[in-house]
Amino acid sequence: MKQSAVQQSNRRAYPRSSAGDGGGVAAPADGSVFKSPGVIFWPAFHVLCCLVSAAAGFRFSRLLFLLLFSPLAPSSSSSSFPRQHLRLPLVRQQPATALPSLLPPPAVLPPPPPPNSKSLASSRVVVGRHGIRVRPWPHPDPAEVARAHEILARVQQEQRLQYGVKDPRPILVVTPTYARTFQALHLTGLLHSLMLVPHPLTWLVVEAGGLSNETSAILSSSLVPVLQLPFREQMPVVWSDRHRLEARMRLYALRVIRERRLDGIVLFADDSNVHTMELFDEIQKVEWMGAVSVGILAHSAAPETPSRKQQREGDKENSHLPIQGPACNSSGHLIGWHTFNSLPYAKKAAIFVGEGVIVLPSKLEWSGFVINSRLLWKEAEGKPNWVRDLDDVGINGEEIESPLDLLKDATLVEPLGNCGKKVMLWWLRAEARYDSKFPTRWVIDPRLEIIVPAKRTPWPEAPPDLMFQQMADDEEHTREHVSKKSKSSRSKNSYRKKKKREANVNTQVSDLSIADVK
Amino acid sequence: MEKGIWGFTILIVCSLASRTEGLGMDQNRQILGFRGNAGDALDDDPVGRLKVFVYELPSKYNVDLVKRDPRCLTHMFAAEIFMHRFLLSSPVRTLDSEEADWFYVPVYPTCDLTKDGLPLPFRSPRMMRSAIQLIASEWPHWNKTEGADHFFVVPHDFGACFHYQEETAVERGILPLLRRATLVQTFGQKNHVCLKEGSIVIPPYASPQRMHAHLLPPDIPRSIFIYFRGLLHDGMNDPEGCYYARGARASLWLNFKNNPIFDISTEHPSTYYEDMQRSIFCLCPLGWAPWSPRLVEAVVFGCIPVVIADDIVLPFADTIPWTDIAVFVAEKDIVRLDTILTSMPTEIILRKQRLLANPLIKLAVSFPQPSRPGDAFHQILNGLARKLPHGSSVYLQPGQKVLNWTAGSVEDTYPWEK
């Protein structure tokens, strides 16, 4: 392609004997023609004019025509040069040649060729010089751009229909969650991912500690149908206990699916995980139970510590992202599992939620498995016998670590995603300290309208009743001054200031008391 | 009388109803084939319908040129070489010249490249002349018809006019010696000197291996609306900008360079083929000549070609339903190109894409090696087969001479040194 494009660009680079007038015959005049002096005269004149043009730096023939022929009616000159066709510009042409374009076209200096009877009369297309059409407003029309996007969306939908998943089965997404500082961050991300999925979806959100307003507020903007399931126990603060509780919460959701005989493919989506859209297409291929590869982002929440730097140097050989998932042999059969090697991190792992060190995943994360919901039903057509009945699972204190415990025979799990080679979701845990506070539903109520000036600002100490007026007048100044300092210092200062002024300040200044902030 | 009128109206209503119902069903059905006979001719099999005799010319006319410069095998004019190779091993070839319907003269006039890889057409007429003199003297078949049952592959810019510049090509006209032969060429424009009546217009060569190496799965969503990569101003040969492409490409740039739905530039990206597969429309404006391999690439990659070349004759126009597949925009309408393309009904766009997805069409515009039934080689043979049996004007009386061997420019009569 490069070659052909370059070819096109250079293709007539070679025998251009005339520097100026284009359109002239460019065949090299090999073999001198000694016919008559008249025939020699014109080429010689041509050469002379070319040399003059080259010397002057522009095609002086245009100037000549301007001076000589402009009073003439254009029709007479154009009739004698029928080969050159001029389209008068609609608006403008190339700016450099604006002047000559208004003239009758300059002939090539050899005598004008006879009216070309060879170019057939019925041809609409004329060879020669053409104008470049530019419309008066060469800018995009927003309505047309919107229409183009509609067309793109429709074409992509058609592509999905033709080449994508046919007859998609509904997906049942199971998410254990609880109200905490980072919940809004994670749950909103997951919510938007699920809203993009083109297949029918039901979202089962199991919430530890019962239903809360926080979760309901986030889920209220969901366009996918949500089933909120309260779970009575509170989420523990130790990571290992938390993993166990999450497993029980997921099992609870599976029981709900079994009771209500919900149909579809069960996907375990933890609220802090990141999913690609290809995952939702890939899981449609599962028959009974499938496994996908999960990328483990264990280092995600940890700040850069010297020990971590050393560790990084230490595992330079294993600098690849650790992945949990099915392992296959060369013929594509499942032979084992890639799990997370937690030995290097054993001493440095987080114990409490929100510690600033890495969080370790369990051996095999739940999110790497998908289950056909019919596997969970009491009776289903074609249900295989290598699955344990759900009622027998988890009783008598049995710990379910991964969905493999739901099976009698773990070798019959189907590896998905090109036998685990394609990573379509990532596991990560990023949490604030378990005792961190955040505003209810992330609404700061009442709003931060009043900016109490900090001690360092040049505002004079003003009596309380004049404070508003002054601030209303100098609002712009205040903003400018405030923005110079860092936000934290301002808030700190204003908080301190407020504490000091609590006695002096009017009740009009609303107190952002800590009690209101959760 | 009244009953007659009633009966008549009932008849009319019924016929109308059945017709509209038929139309409705037509539209609802997934149209993967073509309406009419045009599409059926694509899988005609030429084997058995014609016999081609391949002249054995000295290798200086063909093979040696390729040995000297192997770039001839990959540029857009390579059809002449691959057609020769195809015919040598094809079942339509006959070694007995008496029973042949068509005669093929294997010369490679375009395989004379400059340092940059551009074909020089100045010696091509001489080479043709030399080859024809040879076959006229050694075999009797040329003189029987003065070439009317011979065919030549001339894939150069303006076909057998043998020049890259249109005005000069038009002046020269088709080489006089080829005026009776059938020309298989890539150039096609209505009412143009360089397109003879009865010529077969073929697609330019685009390497099928290279195209297949860049093939993406069809579920990659098409996210570019309009795509074009190529020269927009030929600064070297046309500094003003009023000659190249009849101002069409410059007009495209000036009108749409800021338009977000147009992705046009002169860059040479390495993902050119992949980008075409992610586009809905691929612009195919004329350049110095109206044809380009861009059309073939667009068809193979499922991108709807937007042909901007007035009066162009597209390859295999009698078998490939170009009006159903491509969009034609007149050069004077370039300024409204965005309006034209965005106001196309979505159903028509989807229909064109469905038709383009037909593997028969993709095969018909490509030159795969080894050859496959239905590819461009076979379409050329089909075209030749459709011209059989030869009319009475083809055969001349013994001694009758129609062609003027001294016509044309003097330089063409000089001997071809090689």
Side-chain angles (χ1 to χ4, degrees):
Chain A
M1 255 346 281
K2 213 167 180 162
Q3 204 183 31
S4 59
V6 165
Q7 272 178 15
Q8 283 279 24
S9 66
N10 295 338
R11 57 191 341 241
R12 277 128 196 117
Y14 36 114
R16 298 289 289 190
S17 46
S18 54
D21 310 274
V25 178
D30 53 352
S32 47
V33 211
F34 291 108
K35 284 203 180 133
S36 71
V39 182
I40 295 184
F41 167 69
W42 283 110
F45 185 52
H46 184 170
V47 170
L48 176 67
C49 293
C50 287
L51 291 172
V52 174
S53 300
F58 68 96
R59 290 170 64 161
F60 79 102
S61 60
R62 298 172 184 278
L63 196 58
L64 265 180
F65 280 106
L66 170 65
L67 297 174
L68 295 178
F69 290 115
S70 52
L72 286 182
S75 54
S76 57
S77 357
S78 58
S79 62
S80 51
F81 310 130
R83 224 157 53 97
Q84 312 261 5
H85 182 101
L86 177 76
R87 290 199 212 288
L88 281 175
L90 295 180
V91 185
R92 65 179 174 95
Q93 288 184 344
Q94 292 279 42
T97 58
L99 179 59
S101 63
L102 295 172
L103 302 172
V108 287
L109 286 175
N116 206 341
S117 53
K118 276 188 264 175
S119 87
L120 308 172
S122 48
S123 170
R124 296 183 298 130
V125 180
V126 188
V127 185
R129 214 161 159 269
H130 288 255
I132 299 170
R133 294 182 165 84
V134 183
R135 64 190 192 193
W137 183 248
H139 293 297
D141 175 10
E144 282 171 11
V145 175
R147 173 92 186 100
H149 282 283
E150 277 172 41
I151 296 177
L152 279 168
R154 180 72 185 88
V155 167
Q156 290 182 7
Q157 184 193 359
E158 187 71 23
Q159 277 185 281
R160 255 201 307 273
L161 283 173
Q162 294 225 341
Y163 306 110
V165 178
K166 307 254 188 305
D167 303 325
R169 289 179 281 173
I171 303 180
L172 304 164
V173 181
V174 171
T175 304
T177 185
Y178 71 107
R180 77 265 193 208
T181 309
F182 277 33
Q183 184 202 30
L185 168 74
H186 297 315
L187 213 57
T188 316
L190 182 59
L191 167 72
H192 287 284
S193 298
L194 295 181
M195 290 206 290
L196 283 176
V197 176
H199 311 307
L201 197 92
T202 309
W203 195 8
L204 290 97
V205 180
V206 188
E207 194 170 351
L211 293 182
S212 71
N213 292 335
E214 305 293 320
T215 322
S216 309
I218 300 168
L219 295 177
S220 61
S221 54
S222 161
L223 296 174
V224 294
V226 180
L227 203 56
Q228 278 187 286
L229 305 169
F231 195 76
R232 238 171 287 126
E233 293 175 40
Q234 290 283 346
M235 190 62 87
V237 153
V238 177
W239 274 112
S240 48
D241 293 338
R242 184 174 148 166
H243 287 153
R244 275 193 279 267
L245 185 70
E246 281 181 357
R248 295 219 302 277
M249 288 161 76
R250 292 186 190 107
L251 215 54
Y252 172 62
L254 292 184
R255 290 205 182 91
V256 168
I257 292 176
R258 175 194 171 88
E259 275 170 33
R260 305 196 194 189
R261 285 178 79 87
L262 296 176
D263 193 16
I265 302 173
V266 180
L267 173 72
F268 298 102
D270 300 340
D271 55 3
S272 53
N273 288 359
V274 179
H275 310 84
T276 61
M277 288 303 115
E278 283 116 15
L279 174 71
F280 297 97
D281 288 334
E282 187 69 23
I283 60 177
Q284 297 284 342
K285 295 182 192 160
V286 78
E287 207 195 328
W288 291 113
M289 181 144 161
V292 289
S293 286
V294 184
I296 304 292
L297 300 173
H299 291 284
S300 51
E304 189 77 8
T305 56
S307 58
R308 211 176 137 231
K309 280 206 195 102
Q310 283 172 17
Q311 172 196 308
R312 205 131 31 92
E313 281 157 36
D315 55 21
K316 237 182 216 157
E317 315 93 50
N318 310 341
S319 54
H320 303 298
L321 179 78
I323 296 186
Q324 275 187 1
C328 297
N329 62 4
S330 49
S331 50
H333 296 300
L334 182 72
I335 51 171
W337 303 95
H338 291 295
T339 61
F340 186 72
N341 179 17
S342 48
L343 284 177
Y345 311 105
K347 301 225 176 94
K348 308 163 211 155
I351 300 177
F352 292 98
V353 170
E355 269 189 296
V357 286
I358 60 170
V359 181
L360 292 182
S362 40
K363 274 236 156 5
L364 277 178
E365 276 295 322
W366 281 75
S367 39
F369 293 93
V370 285
I371 308 177
N372 185 347
S373 64
R374 286 167 197 240
L375 220 55
L376 307 164
W377 292 358
K378 282 198 187 60
E379 274 114 37
E381 208 181 287
K383 181 173 157 178
N385 53 2
W386 39 266
V387 117
R388 291 167 63 189
D389 193 77
L390 202 62
D391 288 338
D392 304 329
V393 172
I395 52 176
N396 301 333
E398 182 194 356
E399 281 303 334
I400 308 295
E401 282 181 357
S402 78
L404 292 180
D405 295 335
L406 297 171
L407 308 178
K408 292 179 195 160
D409 184 4
T411 57
L412 292 165
V413 176
E414 305 146 40
L416 298 174
N418 194 9
C419 213
K421 291 199 196 71
K422 194 162 160 62
V423 176
M424 289 174 287
L425 76 148
W426 294 270
W427 177 96
L428 78 102
R429 291 286 180 264
E431 296 292 349
R433 276 177 53 119
Y434 62 90
D435 56 348
S436 69
K437 308 275 188 277
F438 65 99
T440 332
R441 268 171 283 160
W442 288 99
V443 172
I444 300 174
D445 186 25
R447 296 192 323 210
L448 272 174
E449 275 173 348
I450 310 302
I451 303 167
V452 180
K455 202 164 195 183
R456 286 196 194 84
T457 61
W459 301 117
E461 299 276 287
D465 43 21
L466 279 182
M467 208 185 300
F468 281 165
Q469 204 156 4
Q470 195 166 38
M471 268 182 277
D473 292 339
D474 303 339
E475 210 176 347
E476 281 99 26
H477 292 287
T478 314
R479 282 211 196 99
E480 267 178 37
H481 279 280
V482 164
S483 63
K484 283 197 192 124
K485 293 187 267 189
S486 72
K487 264 201 167 169
S488 55
S489 66
R490 173 172 74 94
S491 59
K492 261 194 246 160
N493 280 337
S494 60
Y495 167 58
R496 254 191 267 127
K497 257 287 121 179
K498 243 178 342 72
K499 271 213 138 176
K500 271 197 181 172
R501 284 183 176 277
E502 232 164 66
N504 308 336
V505 165
N506 209 318
T507 45
Q508 274 182 319
V509 177
S510 64
D511 18 288
L512 213 67
S513 61
I514 296 296
D516 282 335
V517 175
K518 234 184 117 173
Chain B
M1 178 63 174
E2 280 181 16
K3 277 194 194 151
I5 294 177
W6 269 116
F8 184 60
T9 44
I10 288 173
L11 199 64
I12 292 192
V13 166
C14 284
S15 65
L16 281 176
S18 63
R19 212 174 299 140
T20 50
E21 192 200 305
L23 278 177
M25 275 176 54
D26 242 20
Q27 279 158 8
N28 290 340
R29 221 174 20 177
Q30 270 254 352
I31 305 171
L32 285 174
F34 304 103
R35 296 209 189 98
N37 300 328
D40 302 338
L42 269 181
D43 40 13
D44 276 352
D45 187 15
V47 175
R49 291 168 59 199
L50 79 165
K51 294 231 170 289
V52 176
F53 176 75
V54 182
Y55 283 113
E56 302 242 334
L57 290 183
S59 57
K60 63 178 180 177
Y61 289 102
N62 34 52
V63 178
D64 285 352
L65 297 172
V66 176
K67 264 198 217 134
R68 201 156 28 105
D69 196 346
R71 290 179 298 180
C72 291
L73 285 169
T74 48
H75 67 181
M76 60 177 102
F77 311 102
E80 55 186 7
I81 304 174
F82 291 113
M83 188 68 189
H84 183 203
R85 292 185 184 183
F86 162 71
L87 283 172
L88 284 177
S89 54
S90 161
V92 304
R93 180 189 185 190
T94 168
L95 298 168
D96 176 11
S97 59
E98 294 301 325
E99 63 161 4
D101 301 307
W102 286 101
F103 295 85
Y104 172 61
V105 183
V107 280
Y108 303 163
T110 336
C111 195
D112 185 10
L113 306 183
T114 65
K115 184 173 59 76
D116 295 325
L118 308 165
L120 283 172
F122 306 117
R123 287 214 290 264
S124 314
R126 295 180 220 165
M127 183 174 159
M128 273 296 183
R129 194 187 181 87
S130 156
I132 293 175
Q133 275 168 337
L134 183 65
I135 58 175
S137 55
E138 288 196 20
W139 284 273
H141 307 284
W142 178 269
N143 291 326
K144 273 196 215 149
T145 58
E146 291 240 287
D149 56 354
H150 290 56
F151 72 92
F152 295 81
V153 182
V154 281
H156 196 245
D157 284 19
F158 289 98
C161 293
F162 291 120
H163 209 274
Y164 48 81
Q165 223 191 20
E166 192 169 0
E167 288 167 358
T168 320
V170 164
E171 254 189 78
R172 293 171 53 92
I174 295 182
L175 195 67
L177 290 177
L178 296 175
R179 295 265 166 91
R180 280 173 64 85
T182 294
L183 299 175
V184 178
Q185 58 188 52
T186 49
F187 170 74
Q189 189 172 312
K190 293 194 198 121
N191 299 321
H192 197 278
V193 182
C194 299
L195 179 68
K196 192 159 85 77
E197 179 81 38
S199 300
I200 299 177
V201 180
I202 65 170
Y205 178 77
S207 164
Q209 295 96 324
R210 199 139 60 100
M211 288 198 284
H212 281 271
H214 289 270
L215 217 52
L216 292 176
D219 60 349
I220 301 282
R222 290 190 184 263
S223 47
I224 302 175
F225 194 63
I226 299 174
Y227 187 75
F228 175 76
R229 287 289 183 275
L231 206 57
L232 291 163
H233 300 98
D234 190 349
M236 210 154 346
N237 301 302
D238 178 29
E240 282 177 63
C242 298
Y243 289 93
Y244 179 55
R246 292 198 278 269
R249 291 196 184 192
S251 175
L252 266 181
W253 175 249
L254 290 171
N255 281 307
F256 302 117
K257 61 184 175 179
N258 293 321
N259 200 317
I261 60 180
F262 281 76
D263 185 355
I264 54 182
S265 92
T266 50
E267 286 181 10
H268 301 148
S270 55
T271 52
Y272 174 63
Y273 284 162
E274 284 85 353
D275 291 341
M276 276 186 131
Q277 291 172 82
R278 288 198 304 120
S279 315
I280 296 187
F281 290 107
C282 287
L283 296 181
C284 302
L286 70 157
W288 286 111
W291 60 271
S292 97
R294 216 166 257 118
L295 184 73
V296 174
E297 288 158 356
V299 168
V300 169
F301 292 132
C303 181
I304 300 176
V306 180
V307 179
I308 309 174
D310 287 343
D311 285 350
I312 188 175
V313 176
L314 290 178
F316 303 134
D318 45 357
T319 44
I320 300 181
W322 289 108
T323 42
D324 285 338
I325 299 174
V327 179
F328 291 87
V329 176
E331 285 166 34
K332 63 175 169 55
D333 290 333
I334 286 187
V335 293
R336 301 190 305 120
L337 189 61
D338 53 351
T339 315
I340 295 173
L341 291 179
T342 50
S343 61
M344 279 183 70
T346 326
E347 288 314 308
I348 295 194
I349 296 178
L350 291 177
R351 176 170 185 263
K352 286 190 199 274
Q353 288 190 320
R354 274 197 294 269
L355 292 173
L356 268 176
N358 187 347
L360 282 178
I361 296 193
K362 295 192 210 268
L363 194 54
V365 296
S366 33
F367 294 92
Q369 282 98 49
S371 169
R372 286 164 42 196
D375 63 8
F377 300 114
H378 287 81
Q379 302 300 334
I380 298 174
L381 290 179
N382 282 334
L384 291 170
R386 278 193 284 270
K387 294 180 83 172
L388 292 176
H390 291 299
S392 52
S393 60
V394 161
Y395 297 101
L396 303 175
Q397 303 298 332
Q400 182 187 5
K401 287 271 176 254
V402 178
L403 290 183
N404 183 352
W405 283 67
T406 53
S409 83
V410 178
E411 290 93 9
D412 293 349
T413 56
Y414 294 167
W416 183 55
E417 276 87 36
K418 302 237 167 67

